[in-house]
Amino acid sequence: PMAISLKIFNDSSNSKISYQGLDIMPDCINFLSDKFKDDPNFSFLHHDVTDKVNYILQTINNDKTQSSSDGKEGNFFHLLKDKCNLQWSSSVFTHLTSAAAQEALMSIAKVSEKSCIQINTWLIIDCFSRLSLLTSQCDRRYPYDYGDYMSRSNKNPLNGVAFKIEKIEEFYANANLQILEIQRGSWRGGNYSNDASHYQDIIISRPILKT
């Protein structure tokens, strides 16, 4: 959706904003690369990771994902050709191990310009979502506790990961990123809503500028 939206904006305004997309599924990268092959402002890069942390593939194969990893699947900054001034991900951190989530934010920090705004979706376990889970207001359950995060599945824990807020704050601090705002999503039930009408929680951040 982001690539298509930017393509429409570029074409209608005669802009030359560049887009770099990253995914672990080669079929998605191949499809998008073909569709955008005539526009040099768009590039799509395949991030090759082990099958054991690929929840989509493991679900298809009725196999397990690892609840922990060395985090290499979150190390992708070397794949990107240029630094960015806007970074966005949707439902990426909801399928990562703790180490991979930390590495992913480290990579994001490395590819971000000083003025970059980062917008990433998470499922966050905080005092409000704990209440919603307890009172069955959420649209899902997280019965399995893996320490840093909770999951919907014991066999395939990366199928749906909800990180605890304390750990998320630690991730961002370690990556030298400042959390500007947390917008809670509709997955929590009740009247929760965010500016993007996204069902997940949204964290908006930026690099911490050195003084």
Side-chain angles (χ1 to χ4, degrees):
M2 287 293 292
I4 294 172
S5 298
L6 182 58
K7 173 66 173 173
I8 293 172
F9 177 81
N10 275 359
D11 290 348
S12 62
S13 62
N14 199 29
S15 297
K16 300 296 182 183
I17 301 173
S18 63
Y19 178 96
Q20 297 177 95
L22 187 72
D23 201 280
I24 66 172
M25 300 298 290
D27 54 339
C28 295
I29 295 299
N30 292 337
F31 174 81
L32 290 168
S33 295
D34 180 65
K35 293 298 181 182
F36 287 81
K37 62 184 177 182
D38 295 326
D39 194 326
N41 293 308
F42 290 79
S43 59
F44 301 92
L45 308 166
H46 177 229
H47 183 32
D48 192 15
V49 304
T50 173
D51 291 350
K52 288 300 181 181
V53 294
N54 185 334
Y55 87 97
I56 297 176
L57 201 59
Q58 297 304 82
T59 299
I60 293 173
N61 295 334
N62 194 29
D63 206 345
K64 299 179 181 179
T65 51
Q66 298 173 339
S67 60
S68 62
S69 71
D70 59 12
K72 288 182 179 179
E73 64 273 23
N75 189 333
F76 56 77
F77 75 93
H78 59 284
L79 296 173
L80 301 177
K81 298 176 291 184
D82 303 303
K83 286 197 171 186
C84 61
N85 53 25
L86 176 64
Q87 177 271 324
W88 160 270
S89 77
S90 178
S91 199
V92 171
F93 288 94
T94 55
H95 304 290
L96 297 180
T97 67
S98 185
Q102 180 67 88
E103 284 293 328
L105 284 178
M106 294 285 195
S107 289
I108 288 169
K110 290 176 181 177
V111 301
S112 294
E113 298 280 2
K114 292 180 179 180
S115 60
C116 181
I117 294 297
Q118 301 122 2
I119 305 170
N120 294 283
T121 70
W122 300 71
L123 292 166
I124 302 174
I125 300 297
D126 55 20
C127 59
F128 303 107
S129 60
R130 286 185 184 277
L131 177 60
S132 293
L133 287 166
L134 181 65
T135 55
S136 300
Q137 295 182 68
C138 294
D139 66 1
R140 67 202 71 195
R141 295 175 62 249
Y142 288 103
Y144 303 101
D145 193 327
Y146 288 90
D148 293 344
Y149 65 85
M150 302 177 75
S151 176
R152 294 186 293 178
S153 173
N154 191 29
K155 179 180 180 181
N156 192 348
L158 299 186
N159 181 265
V161 171
F163 278 99
K164 298 173 183 178
I165 184 60
E166 299 82 7
K167 199 64 187 179
I168 291 174
E169 291 171 342
E170 180 183 315
F171 290 154
Y172 275 84
N174 289 341
N176 202 37
L177 299 176
Q178 177 187 3
I179 295 176
L180 300 176
E181 185 178 1
I182 296 177
Q183 298 186 4
R184 296 178 175 87
S186 59
W187 76 277
R188 297 163 176 261
N191 295 319
Y192 286 107
S193 178
N194 53 52
D195 291 345
S197 297
H198 201 295
Y199 72 98
Q200 293 183 9
D201 304 316
I202 295 175
I203 296 182
I204 302 171
S205 63
R206 61 165 296 163
I208 297 176
L209 301 180
K210 297 179 180 180
T211 56

